[in-house]
Amino acid sequence: MFYWILLVLAILFEVTGTLSMKWSTLTGSASGFYIMLLMIACSYLSLSIAIKKIALGVAYAMWEGIGIILISLFSLGLFNESLSGYKLLGLTLLILGITLIKFGSRIKDPQQHEVAS
C-alpha cells in the first residue's frame, strides 16, 4: 500500500510541477519555475521508490497517463484551455489504455511460472 501512495504522490507532484510551469510562463514569475523544479524532482523520487514494488509498465502508465488527464482537466479551469472532441476521445482512450495495462499486469505469464518451478 505504501508504494501505491508514493505513486499517487508522484502523480500529484508531476501535475503540480507542470501546472506551475505553465503559470510561470503566463505570469512571468520565476517562482513557478522553482516550484516546478522541486515538484518534478519530488515526482521522480517518489516514482523511483514506487517502482520497487509496482511493475514499471503499470507505474509509468499510471504516472504519465493520470498526470496527463489531470493536467488537461485543470488546464480547462485554470488557463481557459479548450476541450475538443478529439481531446476528449484521446483522454477516454488513455483511460482505457491505463485500465488495460493495469489489468494485464495481473495475468501471469505461464512461462514465468514454469521457469520459477
Side-chain angles (χ1 to χ4, degrees):
M1 183 65 170
F2 171 72
Y3 296 95
W4 286 102
I5 292 170
L6 284 176
L7 180 57
V8 169
L9 287 173
I11 293 166
L12 295 176
F13 289 142
E14 179 204 10
V15 170
T16 303
T18 304
L19 292 174
S20 66
M21 177 178 49
K22 174 74 173 188
W23 173 77
S24 183
T25 59
L26 292 176
T27 63
S29 170
S31 62
F33 286 117
Y34 296 123
I35 293 169
M36 176 202 67
L37 289 173
L38 177 65
M39 292 294 106
I40 296 299
C42 290
S43 177
Y44 274 98
L45 179 62
S46 299
L47 180 64
S48 69
I49 297 169
I51 61 171
K52 287 182 178 182
K53 297 290 181 181
I54 301 172
L56 179 59
V58 172
Y60 189 78
M62 293 181 76
W63 176 69
E64 198 60 45
I66 294 171
I68 290 169
I69 292 165
L70 291 175
I71 290 165
S72 297
L73 294 177
F74 279 116
S75 294
L76 293 172
L78 294 174
F79 307 119
N80 295 320
E81 293 186 3
S82 64
L83 184 64
S84 68
Y86 286 121
K87 286 182 185 179
L88 189 58
L89 177 61
L91 293 174
T92 303
L93 292 173
L94 189 57
I95 292 168
L96 178 62
I98 293 168
T99 304
L100 290 173
I101 289 171
K102 176 67 178 113
F103 285 129
S105 70
R106 291 183 184 174
I107 300 170
K108 299 253 184 196
D109 184 1
Q111 292 177 344
Q112 284 181 344
H113 182 64
E114 290 174 15
V115 171
S117 300

